[in-house]
């Protein structure tokens, strides 16, 4: 997909997918392991989910390459699987999606904060993302998404890396509090403006809180940028049960109703994060007349 094709696609509301991790755990994935490695060994579970999202109306499916970068894999001693994981997981997603939707190569934060003392620098982040993005492009993704980002500077490094390696459009979504503040400092509007200036094709939010708490943040972002805005919130705020599981109480119908408000507030690329399922995406598609 070219950046021009992405621009044309997002002139209308585009449905993204919903959660992956919570579905995988419900289907046998243990906690605390490398999600990407587990998926590579359980292809059919991933593809069943992705096909369900397509049936529900999803137009862009995220390949499960979320943490498949060298710096993140190094923490698990899995650096040698970097290329294999990105190549294989994109292939799984492409096989599930076929020609029914676009495939986004998914990258995310390393969890580290950029510093000036050499522990984690812009150059290190840039090189880390360049390497993964190169593998994703070679695997045949249609676009890129840097999601659940917690640091503006690291996200800018990801955008710069994308421009250095390829010509694919890159979407960027930060994780924020209900007031728009970012974990490592700054706020959603500052991030959106900086990322738009850096050349991101779309900016916005994912994870964090439910759609009912993001209306003012989404509206403010939309009023300050001229590129498409992403809204991919959780299924409300979770509570933790006795076994340590996060339980999301917002039902699909309520989620869809709140997502409609976010679209009316200006969001163009919409989907779900933690706690959502294909049913959440389907209900959202129905209330927006996208099916």
């Amino acid at each position: 997909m070219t950046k021009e094709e992405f621009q044309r696609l997002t002139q209308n509301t585009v449905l993204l997918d919903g959660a992956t991790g919570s579905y995988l755990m419900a289907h046998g994935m243990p906690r605390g392991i490398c999600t990407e490695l587990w998926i590579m060994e359980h292809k059919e579970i991933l593809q069943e989910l992705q096909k369900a999202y397509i049936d529900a109306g999803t137009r862009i499916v995220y390949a499960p390459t979320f943490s498949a970068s060298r710096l993140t894999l190094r923490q698990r001693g899995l650096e040698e699987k970097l290329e294999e994981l990105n190549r294989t997981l994109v292939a799984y997603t492409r096989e599930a999606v076929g020609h029914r939707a676009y495939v986004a190569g998914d990258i995310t934060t390393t969890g580290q904060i950029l510093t000036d003392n050499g522990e984690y620098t812009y150059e290190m982040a840039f090189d880390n993302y360049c390497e993964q993005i190169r593998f994703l492009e070679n695997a045949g993704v249609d676009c890129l998404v840097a999601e659940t980002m917690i640091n503006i500077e690291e996200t800018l490094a990801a955008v710069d890396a994308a421009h250095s390696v390829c010509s694919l459009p890159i979407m960027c979504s930060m994780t924020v509090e209900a007031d728009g503040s970012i974990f490592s400092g700054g706020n959603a509007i500052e991030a959106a403006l900086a990322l738009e200036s850096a050349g991101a094709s779309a900016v916005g939010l994912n994870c964090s809180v439910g759609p009912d708490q993001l209306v003012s943040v989404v509206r403010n972002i939309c009023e300050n940028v001229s590129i498409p805005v992403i809204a991919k919130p959780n299924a409300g705020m979770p509570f933790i049960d006795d076994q340590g599981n996060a339980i999301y109480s917002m039902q699909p119908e309520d989620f869809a109703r709140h997502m409609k408000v976010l679209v009316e507030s200006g969001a163009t690329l919409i989907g779900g994060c933690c706690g959502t399922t294909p049913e959440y995406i389907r209900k959202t598609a129905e209330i927006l007349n996208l099916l």
Side-chain angles (χ1 to χ4, degrees):
M1 186 194 303
T2 66
K3 292 174 183 175
E4 292 73 22
E5 288 170 336
F6 182 85
Q7 187 176 38
R8 289 195 295 271
L9 176 69
T10 54
Q11 287 176 355
N12 299 303
T13 304
V14 176
L15 271 178
L16 306 171
D17 57 15
T20 297
S22 53
Y23 178 92
L24 298 179
M25 285 189 286
H27 287 76
M29 185 179 75
R31 295 184 189 181
I33 66 166
C34 175
T35 299
E36 290 75 17
L37 187 60
W38 190 89
I39 293 172
M40 197 161 70
E41 298 166 352
H42 297 83
K43 170 183 177 179
E44 69 288 346
I45 296 177
L46 171 75
Q47 292 187 326
E48 179 182 9
L49 174 65
Q50 292 179 327
K51 290 175 182 177
Y53 279 130
I54 298 297
D55 291 340
T58 292
R59 299 286 308 280
I60 301 176
V61 175
Y62 290 14
T65 52
F66 188 70
S67 296
S69 72
R70 181 173 298 278
L71 290 181
T72 305
L73 291 173
R74 179 180 294 167
Q75 299 170 21
R76 298 181 179 275
L78 295 171
E79 290 175 79
E80 76 284 353
K81 291 191 174 292
L82 172 64
E83 181 177 3
E84 180 186 9
L85 284 169
N86 283 281
R87 183 183 68 249
T88 302
L89 297 178
V90 170
Y92 285 1
T93 303
R94 177 65 68 191
E95 183 179 314
V97 165
H99 298 292
R100 301 172 65 195
Y102 296 100
V103 174
D106 195 358
I107 63 178
T108 193
T109 178
T110 63
Q112 303 177 64
I113 304 300
L114 270 67
T115 62
D116 296 324
N117 62 8
E119 290 184 9
Y120 184 49
T121 64
Y122 167 88
E123 290 75 19
M124 293 168 66
F126 177 82
D127 290 344
N128 182 61
Y129 290 124
C130 277
E131 185 177 37
Q132 186 181 9
I133 290 169
R134 190 173 291 111
F135 288 135
L136 290 170
E137 183 195 25
N138 291 340
V141 299
D142 298 302
C143 59
L144 301 165
V145 57
E147 67 160 335
T148 323
M149 302 301 289
I150 61 172
N151 181 279
I152 297 173
E153 290 75 18
E154 188 183 45
T155 315
L156 289 169
V159 173
D160 290 344
H163 293 329
S164 174
V165 169
C166 66
S167 59
L168 295 172
I170 179 168
M171 305 180 286
C172 299
S173 57
M174 309 294 296
T175 182
V176 303
E177 300 294 340
D179 64 358
S181 60
I182 297 171
F183 171 75
S184 63
N187 60 63
I189 297 173
E190 292 171 354
L193 288 169
L195 292 166
E196 180 181 31
S197 295
S201 296
V203 293
L205 317 166
N206 80 287
C207 204
S208 310
V209 296
D212 53 325
Q213 296 182 275
L214 290 177
V215 177
S216 63
V217 180
V218 167
R219 183 180 295 119
N220 286 334
I221 294 174
C222 293
E223 290 174 351
N224 282 277
V225 300
S226 59
I227 56 178
V229 172
I230 306 160
K232 208 170 188 282
N234 292 343
M237 290 294 288
F239 70 89
I240 308 302
D241 67 13
D242 294 339
Q243 287 73 47
N245 300 307
I247 307 299
Y248 293 86
S249 58
M250 184 176 287
Q251 297 303 304
E253 295 81 1
D254 294 329
F255 180 86
R257 179 167 49 83
H258 290 300
M259 291 304 293
K260 185 173 186 291
V261 176
L262 294 185
V263 171
E264 292 168 348
S265 299
T268 302
L269 291 145
I270 60 169
C273 205
C274 302
T276 61
T277 67
E279 185 61 17
Y280 286 74
I281 301 303
R282 180 180 298 279
K283 290 296 183 183
T284 301
E286 289 174 352
I287 201 169
L288 295 172
N289 298 313
L290 296 176
L291 279 178

